[in-house]
Amino acid sequence: MKYYLVAGEASGDLHGANLMKALKTEDQNANFRYFGGDKMQAQGGKLVKHYREMAFMGFTEVILNLRIVFKNLKACKQDILTYQPDALILIDFPGFNLKIAEFAKQQGIKVCFYISPKVWAWNQKRVLKIKKVVDQLFCILPFEVDFYKQWGMEVNYVGNPLLDEIANFSPDLAFRKNQNLSNQKIIALLPGSRKQEIERLLPDMLSITASFPNYQFVVAAAPTFTSDYYQQFIGDKNVKLVFSQTYNLLYHAEAALVASGTATLETALFKVPQVVLYRGGAISVGIARLVIKIRFISLVNLIMDRKVVTELIQNDCTTEKITTELGSILTGEEREVMLNDYEKLAKRMGTAGASERTAKLIFDFLR
């Protein structure tokens, strides 16, 4: 069968690639066409547009780039019409993908949404639209099933695809040597993969390095940027970069500073104590505080429904507070409490196999 996938950021590319791999097991004649990234491209099919041309962070950034957003929407709709897939598989990226879902439904194309939109965070009435335009919805967070049930919608909880990726990960035991790192304990810096968040968070992360002389700091660099790009922030600090090695970095890390997002859950599943950081544009954050109805921003705290990791948001994201919070999880009781909470989180998340479960459900649905 013919599958059209739409992923608009790095995490979607990762999950899309794993899903494509699983679909090829279910459907040996599967054909793919997609908006995505390098990982999806490695699975075959035709990459139409790379996510680096699509990922804008925050309300104001989207508004400032509306012309590009509308151009991408138009191109995607036209390409779907031309391709005429048996199924459209939308991966997260709800601002864009729900518009594509509505269009596809009007065209009589079956719509599967993998990684449910986070409608529980704000404007929950969007569930009513999802019910109209999505045929099959696959959730990756345990609490989402009950949330949708409250709105009269049956959904599939398939587990979290990060568990698949981590289960398939084989650590490079020569990582330190291969990356020219010392034997000092590592503090990992994960500033995100989007330009806006890197530029807002990396300077804050780097501002505390002098306070921890017995540790080495290593940045998980996104492959879409160059060493020179990161070096403008690092300057003369003794900070290393590793590209496309985030899991190896976490495997070897003692603690981490992490941009709010998927990486917070990955860090927790690798059992690395962390401090979560977030900075957005002033207007975007102001709007968010008016409309967002959740107590936490990190997936770790949301899944556990209580504070497990500290979140330093906006004006709290200072050198002094980052230094204090990081220091508190390098040794001692707070570190042990967080590691114990991570064990409880892992049990709540379930087992690997999300991609395979989702692929089977999609294939059975189409048959």
Side-chain angles (χ1 to χ4, degrees):
M1 282 184 278
K2 294 161 67 177
Y3 304 90
Y4 200 107
L5 297 91
V6 183
E9 49 201 346
S11 60
D13 178 36
L14 169 66
H15 303 324
N18 285 335
L19 181 59
M20 289 165 68
K21 182 180 179 181
L23 277 167
K24 286 189 287 186
T25 301
E26 294 291 331
D27 180 1
Q28 295 180 1
N29 297 313
N31 288 288
F32 301 109
R33 193 173 176 90
Y34 45 88
F35 279 37
D38 300 340
K39 288 182 171 65
M40 292 172 72
Q41 194 169 25
Q43 289 298 324
K46 174 64 176 175
L47 173 64
V48 180
K49 188 174 288 290
H50 201 285
Y51 68 77
R52 61 174 163 255
E53 300 176 51
M54 302 169 64
F56 301 108
M57 181 184 175
F59 296 100
T60 52
E61 288 78 8
V62 171
I63 291 168
L64 290 171
N65 291 280
L66 270 179
R67 186 179 63 82
I68 297 173
V69 172
F70 285 130
K71 182 180 178 183
N72 288 338
L73 278 167
K74 183 178 179 181
C76 188
K77 291 174 182 178
Q78 185 57 55
D79 202 54
I80 290 168
L81 269 185
T82 303
Y83 187 59
Q84 284 296 307
D86 293 291
L88 172 68
I89 302 173
L90 303 168
I91 304 168
D92 205 356
F93 206 50
F96 187 94
N97 274 339
L98 284 176
K99 292 180 175 62
I100 296 298
E102 187 172 22
F103 168 80
K105 191 69 174 175
Q106 291 169 352
Q107 306 302 317
I109 296 169
K110 292 177 179 177
V111 178
C112 300
F113 211 115
Y114 181 42
I115 305 180
S116 156
K118 296 174 181 62
V119 289
W120 35 265
W122 66 285
N123 193 7
Q124 295 185 356
K125 288 184 179 179
R126 286 182 297 167
V127 175
L128 300 175
K129 180 177 181 180
I130 292 171
K131 286 174 73 173
K132 290 180 182 178
V133 302
V134 173
D135 296 300
Q136 293 284 307
L137 183 63
F138 306 101
C139 296
I140 65 167
L141 297 173
F143 61 82
E144 291 178 325
V145 175
D146 288 337
F147 168 77
Y148 281 103
K149 191 172 288 185
Q150 291 171 4
W151 287 86
M153 187 174 181
E154 293 295 320
V155 300
N156 300 285
Y157 176 64
V158 292
N160 198 292
L162 289 180
L163 296 170
D164 299 19
E165 194 68 13
I166 292 170
N168 293 329
F169 166 70
S170 297
D172 176 7
L173 300 180
F175 173 72
R176 289 175 182 267
K177 181 181 178 182
N178 292 339
Q179 298 297 329
N180 196 27
L181 302 176
S182 74
N183 289 324
Q184 283 184 306
K185 291 179 179 178
I186 294 170
I187 295 175
L189 305 180
L190 280 64
S193 60
R194 290 178 286 199
K195 191 169 184 283
Q196 293 103 325
E197 59 185 348
I198 293 169
E199 292 180 356
R200 286 176 181 144
L201 288 178
L202 189 53
D204 290 322
M205 292 179 172
L206 294 168
S207 72
I208 58 101
T209 56
S211 299
F212 300 91
N214 296 325
Y215 294 83
Q216 59 183 322
F217 288 80
V218 184
V219 178
T224 45
F225 298 97
T226 64
S227 295
D228 288 343
Y229 172 76
Y230 285 98
Q231 206 59 47
Q232 67 180 311
F233 304 107
I234 293 171
D236 59 0
K237 289 182 172 67
N238 184 25
V239 175
K240 300 284 188 180
L241 291 172
V242 296
F243 285 87
S244 304
Q245 292 281 330
T246 301
Y247 281 8
N248 270 311
L249 177 57
L250 288 173
Y251 181 83
H252 289 87
E254 192 73 7
L257 301 178
V258 187
S260 172
T262 306
T264 63
L265 183 54
E266 290 174 305
T267 303
L269 292 172
F270 270 95
K271 309 297 192 293
V272 181
Q274 65 182 301
V275 181
V276 177
L277 310 181
Y278 177 82
R279 272 193 190 277
I283 296 174
S284 292
V285 171
I287 295 170
R289 282 178 168 155
L290 288 173
V291 300
I292 291 179
K293 305 300 182 187
I294 52 176
R295 292 190 295 154
F296 304 110
I297 61 168
S298 67
L299 286 173
V300 178
N301 291 346
L302 283 166
I303 292 166
M304 295 300 287
D305 196 28
R306 60 184 173 83
K307 180 189 172 184
V308 172
V309 298
T310 295
E311 301 173 350
L312 297 179
I313 303 170
Q314 213 66 355
N315 294 333
D316 285 331
C317 194
T318 64
T319 300
E320 293 75 17
K321 289 189 177 182
I322 297 170
T323 301
T324 299
E325 295 297 337
L326 178 59
S328 73
I329 59 170
L330 287 173
T331 58
E333 185 180 352
E334 287 190 42
R335 180 181 180 86
E336 292 306 313
V337 169
M338 190 177 293
L339 290 171
N340 287 335
D341 283 337
Y342 281 173
E343 294 293 339
K344 296 170 186 173
L345 171 74
K347 288 179 182 176
R348 189 166 294 188
M349 292 300 298
T351 59
S355 303
E356 289 79 6
R357 285 188 282 270
T358 305
K360 187 176 191 317
L361 286 166
I362 290 173
F363 188 62
D364 289 348
F365 166 66
L366 294 177
R367 285 194 302 178

